Amino acid sequence: LLLPRHYATVLARRGGGHVERPPELTWAPGFTDVVELAAWSALEVDFVIMGVPHCGTSSLQRNLETHPDIAFSSGESEDFFWKKIQFRLLPPRADLEDFNLRMRQAASAKGSRSQVLRGANNPTWYSYGLVRAALAEVPGLIAVNIMC
């Protein structure tokens, strides 16, 4: 169970206004992991390309990458959503900060003088409701959906 720090008190609250820590929230070595979470709105990406496999998402990415003002992070951005995030309601802060760092590095590697648009691509993201819901929380994000 991963929750923001302030939720532990809310969940532990029992009648009478006092806070009692229920057994399921008790820390036990090797049993409980504490992970700081972040908000999806902190994700530093301007657009995503998603859809269904074999419909042209990778082709669109390769063509857009030739533009001097558009950058994509490495294939690790796919791993961010696919392997780490697709079943979570909120992202772990360390994973989100790592994703944002890779996006900034990709943008600065373009060497463009103007604002670089940062993009991510994975044809399977559309298939996962939690990924779509997470991306909907990113302010100003443009989702390019490719269907065939």
Side-chain angles (χ1 to χ4, degrees), residues 46 67-71 107 110 112-118:
D46 299 305
H67 194 284
D69 296 334
I70 297 177
K110 279 290 191 164
S112 178
R113 287 184 247 180
S114 61
Q115 177 68 29
V116 175
L117 292 175
R118 297 162 297 181

Side-chain angles (χ1 to χ4, degrees), residues 46-144:
D46 299 305
F47 69 96
V48 294
I49 301 171
M50 59 185 177
V52 294
H54 308 291
C55 285
T57 55
S58 297
S59 177
L60 179 58
Q61 176 181 343
R62 283 191 296 274
N63 284 304
L64 288 174
E65 280 179 315
T66 64
H67 194 284
D69 296 334
I70 297 177
F72 288 86
S73 71
S74 65
E76 294 168 354
S77 68
E78 291 184 14
D79 290 345
F80 175 73
F81 285 99
W82 176 247
K83 293 181 179 175
K84 298 181 179 182
I85 304 300
Q86 70 174 333
F87 300 116
R88 296 179 184 264
L89 296 176
L90 292 171
R93 179 172 301 284
D95 290 334
L96 184 127
E97 289 174 353
D98 184 53
F99 177 87
N100 287 343
L101 176 63
R102 286 194 314 270
M103 293 304 292
R104 286 191 295 271
Q105 289 170 339
S108 66
K110 279 290 191 164
S112 178
R113 287 184 247 180
S114 61
Q115 177 68 29
V116 175
L117 292 175
R118 297 162 297 181
N121 169 40
N122 188 310
T124 62
W125 290 344
Y126 187 80
S127 302
Y128 296 96
L130 282 178
V131 173
R132 291 193 316 268
L135 293 173
E137 296 296 319
V138 179
L141 180 78
I142 297 170
V144 178

